[in-house]
PDB file of all heavy atoms in Angstrom:
ATOM      1  N   GLU E1302       8.264  22.772   3.131  1.00 92.00           N
ATOM      2  CA  GLU E1302       7.173  22.288   2.271  1.00 92.00           C
ATOM      3  C   GLU E1302       6.042  23.265   2.207  1.00 92.00           C
ATOM      4  O   GLU E1302       5.770  23.999   3.164  1.00 92.00           O
ATOM      5  CB  GLU E1302       6.652  20.930   2.757  1.00 92.00           C
ATOM      6  CG  GLU E1302       7.613  19.797   2.662  1.00 92.00           C
ATOM      7  CD  GLU E1302       8.691  19.759   3.714  1.00 92.00           C
ATOM      8  OE1 GLU E1302       8.517  20.386   4.734  1.00 92.00           O
ATOM      9  OE2 GLU E1302       9.732  19.065   3.471  1.00 92.00           O
ATOM     10  N   ARG E1303       5.328  23.273   1.058  1.00 95.00           N
ATOM     11  CA  ARG E1303       4.225  24.214   0.912  1.00 95.00           C
ATOM     12  C   ARG E1303       3.115  23.471   0.162  1.00 95.00           C
ATOM     13  O   ARG E1303       3.351  22.668  -0.732  1.00 95.00           O
ATOM     14  CB  ARG E1303       4.587  25.381   0.001  1.00 95.00           C
ATOM     15  CG  ARG E1303       5.544  26.328   0.677  1.00 95.00           C
ATOM     16  CD  ARG E1303       6.436  27.007  -0.340  1.00 95.00           C
ATOM     17  NE  ARG E1303       7.373  27.817   0.323  1.00 95.00           N
ATOM     18  CZ  ARG E1303       7.411  29.099   0.254  1.00 95.00           C
ATOM     19  NH1 ARG E1303       6.734  29.780  -0.642  1.00 95.00           N
ATOM     20  NH2 ARG E1303       8.261  29.786   0.983  1.00 95.00           N
ATOM     21  N   VAL E1304       1.881  23.877   0.466  1.00 96.00           N
ATOM     22  CA  VAL E1304       0.732  23.422  -0.306  1.00 96.00           C
ATOM     23  C   VAL E1304      -0.085  24.634  -0.745  1.00 96.00           C
ATOM     24  O   VAL E1304       0.021  25.698  -0.215  1.00 96.00           O
ATOM     25  CB  VAL E1304      -0.154  22.417   0.444  1.00 96.00           C
ATOM     26  CG1 VAL E1304       0.548  21.118   0.720  1.00 96.00           C
ATOM     27  CG2 VAL E1304      -0.683  23.027   1.748  1.00 96.00           C
ATOM     28  N   ALA E1305      -0.951  24.435  -1.775  1.00 97.00           N
ATOM     29  CA  ALA E1305      -1.736  25.534  -2.332  1.00 97.00           C
ATOM     30  C   ALA E1305      -2.761  26.034  -1.302  1.00 97.00           C
ATOM     31  O   ALA E1305      -3.193  25.236  -0.439  1.00 97.00           O
ATOM     32  CB  ALA E1305      -2.467  25.071  -3.599  1.00 97.00           C
ATOM     33  N   THR E1306      -3.143  27.271  -1.371  1.00 97.00           N
ATOM     34  CA  THR E1306      -4.123  27.853  -0.468  1.00 97.00           C
ATOM     35  C   THR E1306      -5.311  28.350  -1.322  1.00 97.00           C
ATOM     36  O   THR E1306      -5.175  28.434  -2.547  1.00 97.00           O
ATOM     37  CB  THR E1306      -3.547  29.002   0.346  1.00 97.00           C
ATOM     38  OG1 THR E1306      -2.908  29.915  -0.556  1.00 97.00           O
ATOM     39  CG2 THR E1306      -2.545  28.538   1.363  1.00 97.00           C
ATOM     40  N   PHE E1307      -6.437  28.610  -0.690  1.00 97.00           N
ATOM     41  CA  PHE E1307      -7.624  29.051  -1.398  1.00 97.00           C
ATOM     42  C   PHE E1307      -8.244  30.239  -0.594  1.00 97.00           C
ATOM     43  O   PHE E1307      -8.164  30.258   0.632  1.00 97.00           O
ATOM     44  CB  PHE E1307      -8.624  27.920  -1.463  1.00 97.00           C
ATOM     45  CG  PHE E1307      -8.162  26.764  -2.294  1.00 97.00           C
ATOM     46  CD1 PHE E1307      -7.321  25.788  -1.762  1.00 97.00           C
ATOM     47  CD2 PHE E1307      -8.502  26.646  -3.603  1.00 97.00           C
ATOM     48  CE1 PHE E1307      -6.848  24.744  -2.473  1.00 97.00           C
ATOM     49  CE2 PHE E1307      -8.023  25.592  -4.404  1.00 97.00           C
ATOM     50  CZ  PHE E1307      -7.199  24.613  -3.833  1.00 97.00           C
ATOM     51  N   ARG E1308      -8.900  31.173  -1.344  1.00 96.00           N
ATOM     52  CA  ARG E1308      -9.584  32.272  -0.653  1.00 96.00           C
ATOM     53  C   ARG E1308     -10.891  31.725  -0.031  1.00 96.00           C
ATOM     54  O   ARG E1308     -11.542  30.866  -0.625  1.00 96.00           O
ATOM     55  CB  ARG E1308      -9.909  33.368  -1.643  1.00 96.00           C
ATOM     56  CG  ARG E1308      -8.660  34.023  -2.205  1.00 96.00           C
ATOM     57  CD  ARG E1308      -8.988  35.301  -2.832  1.00 96.00           C
ATOM     58  NE  ARG E1308      -9.893  35.185  -3.967  1.00 96.00           N
ATOM     59  CZ  ARG E1308     -10.862  36.041  -4.269  1.00 96.00           C
ATOM     60  NH1 ARG E1308     -11.060  37.141  -3.575  1.00 96.00           N
ATOM     61  NH2 ARG E1308     -11.681  35.805  -5.305  1.00 96.00           N
ATOM     62  N   VAL E1309     -11.197  32.199   1.157  1.00 95.00           N
ATOM     63  CA  VAL E1309     -12.457  31.792   1.798  1.00 95.00           C
ATOM     64  C   VAL E1309     -13.245  32.991   2.234  1.00 95.00           C
ATOM     65  O   VAL E1309     -12.678  34.105   2.474  1.00 95.00           O
ATOM     66  CB  VAL E1309     -12.165  30.967   3.049  1.00 95.00           C
ATOM     67  CG1 VAL E1309     -11.922  29.521   2.769  1.00 95.00           C
ATOM     68  CG2 VAL E1309     -11.085  31.538   3.878  1.00 95.00           C
ATOM     69  N   ARG E1310     -14.535  32.845   2.378  1.00 93.00           N
ATOM     70  CA  ARG E1310     -15.338  33.855   3.033  1.00 93.00           C
ATOM     71  C   ARG E1310     -16.570  33.202   3.688  1.00 93.00           C
ATOM     72  O   ARG E1310     -16.937  32.075   3.306  1.00 93.00           O
ATOM     73  CB  ARG E1310     -15.754  34.976   2.115  1.00 93.00           C
ATOM     74  CG  ARG E1310     -16.630  34.629   1.010  1.00 93.00           C
ATOM     75  CD  ARG E1310     -16.783  35.739   0.033  1.00 93.00           C
ATOM     76  NE  ARG E1310     -17.901  35.518  -0.805  1.00 93.00           N
ATOM     77  CZ  ARG E1310     -18.986  36.219  -0.818  1.00 93.00           C
ATOM     78  NH1 ARG E1310     -19.132  37.265  -0.125  1.00 93.00           N
ATOM     79  NH2 ARG E1310     -19.981  35.844  -1.621  1.00 93.00           N
ATOM     80  N   VAL E1311     -17.139  33.928   4.709  1.00 93.00           N
ATOM     81  CA  VAL E1311     -18.292  33.381   5.345  1.00 93.00           C
ATOM     82  C   VAL E1311     -19.457  34.334   5.102  1.00 93.00           C
ATOM     83  O   VAL E1311     -19.355  35.546   5.311  1.00 93.00           O
ATOM     84  CB  VAL E1311     -17.999  33.253   6.870  1.00 93.00           C
ATOM     85  CG1 VAL E1311     -19.268  32.847   7.601  1.00 93.00           C
ATOM     86  CG2 VAL E1311     -16.922  32.196   7.099  1.00 93.00           C
ATOM     87  N   ASP E1312     -20.538  33.738   4.602  1.00 90.00           N
ATOM     88  CA  ASP E1312     -21.698  34.570   4.247  1.00 90.00           C
ATOM     89  C   ASP E1312     -22.857  34.103   5.189  1.00 90.00           C
ATOM     90  O   ASP E1312     -23.334  33.005   4.983  1.00 90.00           O
ATOM     91  CB  ASP E1312     -22.051  34.279   2.768  1.00 90.00           C
ATOM     92  CG  ASP E1312     -23.249  35.018   2.329  1.00 90.00           C
ATOM     93  OD1 ASP E1312     -23.625  35.946   3.023  1.00 90.00           O
ATOM     94  OD2 ASP E1312     -23.805  34.580   1.290  1.00 90.00           O
ATOM     95  N   GLY E1313     -23.123  34.917   6.203  1.00 87.00           N
ATOM     96  CA  GLY E1313     -24.055  34.450   7.267  1.00 87.00           C
ATOM     97  C   GLY E1313     -23.328  33.350   8.001  1.00 87.00           C
ATOM     98  O   GLY E1313     -22.242  33.558   8.519  1.00 87.00           O
ATOM     99  N   ARG E1314     -23.869  32.124   7.972  1.00 88.00           N
ATOM    100  CA  ARG E1314     -23.108  30.983   8.574  1.00 88.00           C
ATOM    101  C   ARG E1314     -22.585  30.076   7.512  1.00 88.00           C
ATOM    102  O   ARG E1314     -22.114  28.962   7.810  1.00 88.00           O
ATOM    103  CB  ARG E1314     -24.005  30.188   9.540  1.00 88.00           C
ATOM    104  CG  ARG E1314     -24.430  30.978  10.785  1.00 88.00           C
ATOM    105  CD  ARG E1314     -23.300  31.408  11.655  1.00 88.00           C
ATOM    106  NE  ARG E1314     -22.690  30.412  12.460  1.00 88.00           N
ATOM    107  CZ  ARG E1314     -21.551  30.542  13.212  1.00 88.00           C
ATOM    108  NH1 ARG E1314     -20.915  31.674  13.139  1.00 88.00           N
ATOM    109  NH2 ARG E1314     -21.134  29.558  13.949  1.00 88.00           N
ATOM    110  N   ARG E1315     -22.816  30.452   6.248  1.00 92.00           N
ATOM    111  CA  ARG E1315     -22.325  29.614   5.142  1.00 92.00           C
ATOM    112  C   ARG E1315     -20.867  29.885   4.811  1.00 92.00           C
ATOM    113  O   ARG E1315     -20.426  31.007   4.715  1.00 92.00           O
ATOM    114  CB  ARG E1315     -23.137  29.898   3.885  1.00 92.00           C
ATOM    115  CG  ARG E1315     -24.481  29.233   3.851  1.00 92.00           C
ATOM    116  CD  ARG E1315     -25.105  29.367   2.493  1.00 92.00           C
ATOM    117  NE  ARG E1315     -24.976  30.729   1.983  1.00 92.00           N
ATOM    118  CZ  ARG E1315     -25.310  31.126   0.774  1.00 92.00           C
ATOM    119  NH1 ARG E1315     -25.790  30.244  -0.090  1.00 92.00           N
ATOM    120  NH2 ARG E1315     -25.165  32.355   0.403  1.00 92.00           N
ATOM    121  N   VAL E1316     -20.076  28.781   4.669  1.00 94.00           N
ATOM    122  CA  VAL E1316     -18.689  28.902   4.290  1.00 94.00           C
ATOM    123  C   VAL E1316     -18.509  28.720   2.808  1.00 94.00           C
ATOM    124  O   VAL E1316     -19.065  27.814   2.195  1.00 94.00           O
ATOM    125  CB  VAL E1316     -17.838  27.791   5.017  1.00 94.00           C
ATOM    126  CG1 VAL E1316     -16.390  27.959   4.652  1.00 94.00           C
ATOM    127  CG2 VAL E1316     -18.005  27.898   6.523  1.00 94.00           C
ATOM    128  N   LEU E1317     -17.849  29.734   2.170  1.00 94.00           N
ATOM    129  CA  LEU E1317     -17.642  29.670   0.719  1.00 94.00           C
ATOM    130  C   LEU E1317     -16.136  29.692   0.441  1.00 94.00           C
ATOM    131  O   LEU E1317     -15.371  30.327   1.160  1.00 94.00           O
ATOM    132  CB  LEU E1317     -18.311  30.929   0.053  1.00 94.00           C
ATOM    133  CG  LEU E1317     -19.758  31.138   0.386  1.00 94.00           C
ATOM    134  CD1 LEU E1317     -20.258  32.464  -0.175  1.00 94.00           C
ATOM    135  CD2 LEU E1317     -20.588  29.972  -0.227  1.00 94.00           C
ATOM    136  N   VAL E1318     -15.745  28.969  -0.568  1.00 95.00           N
ATOM    137  CA  VAL E1318     -14.349  28.951  -0.949  1.00 95.00           C
ATOM    138  C   VAL E1318     -14.212  29.184  -2.485  1.00 95.00           C
ATOM    139  O   VAL E1318     -15.057  28.679  -3.246  1.00 95.00           O
ATOM    140  CB  VAL E1318     -13.667  27.613  -0.506  1.00 95.00           C
ATOM    141  CG1 VAL E1318     -14.347  26.400  -1.081  1.00 95.00           C
ATOM    142  CG2 VAL E1318     -12.194  27.576  -0.826  1.00 95.00           C
ATOM    143  N   ASP E1319     -13.173  29.929  -2.808  1.00 94.00           N
ATOM    144  CA  ASP E1319     -12.876  30.182  -4.216  1.00 94.00           C
ATOM    145  C   ASP E1319     -12.065  28.970  -4.746  1.00 94.00           C
ATOM    146  O   ASP E1319     -10.934  28.730  -4.308  1.00 94.00           O
ATOM    147  CB  ASP E1319     -12.074  31.490  -4.386  1.00 94.00           C
ATOM    148  CG  ASP E1319     -11.572  31.735  -5.762  1.00 94.00           C
ATOM    149  OD1 ASP E1319     -11.849  30.869  -6.647  1.00 94.00           O
ATOM    150  OD2 ASP E1319     -10.917  32.752  -6.001  1.00 94.00           O
ATOM    151  N   PRO E1320     -12.593  28.183  -5.695  1.00 92.00           N
ATOM    152  CA  PRO E1320     -11.926  26.923  -6.027  1.00 92.00           C
ATOM    153  C   PRO E1320     -10.675  27.105  -6.862  1.00 92.00           C
ATOM    154  O   PRO E1320     -10.028  26.118  -7.207  1.00 92.00           O
ATOM    155  CB  PRO E1320     -13.034  26.180  -6.826  1.00 92.00           C
ATOM    156  CG  PRO E1320     -13.986  27.205  -7.309  1.00 92.00           C
ATOM    157  CD  PRO E1320     -13.943  28.355  -6.335  1.00 92.00           C
ATOM    158  N   ASN E1321     -10.344  28.336  -7.167  1.00 92.00           N
ATOM    159  CA  ASN E1321      -9.102  28.532  -7.928  1.00 92.00           C
ATOM    160  C   ASN E1321      -7.911  28.552  -6.962  1.00 92.00           C
ATOM    161  O   ASN E1321      -7.764  29.455  -6.086  1.00 92.00           O
ATOM    162  CB  ASN E1321      -9.133  29.872  -8.682  1.00 92.00           C
ATOM    163  CG  ASN E1321     -10.255  29.843  -9.698  1.00 92.00           C
ATOM    164  OD1 ASN E1321     -10.299  28.999 -10.570  1.00 92.00           O
ATOM    165  ND2 ASN E1321     -11.180  30.770  -9.545  1.00 92.00           N
TER     166      ASN E1321
END
Side-chain angles (χ1 to χ4, degrees):
Chain E
E1302 290 79 17
R1303 289 150 185 241
V1304 293
T1306 51
F1307 296 83
R1308 294 197 300 144
V1309 278
R1310 64 189 196 115
V1311 174
D1312 178 16
R1314 294 300 281 172
R1315 280 188 316 172
V1316 179
L1317 305 174
V1318 59
D1319 173 359
N1321 298 302

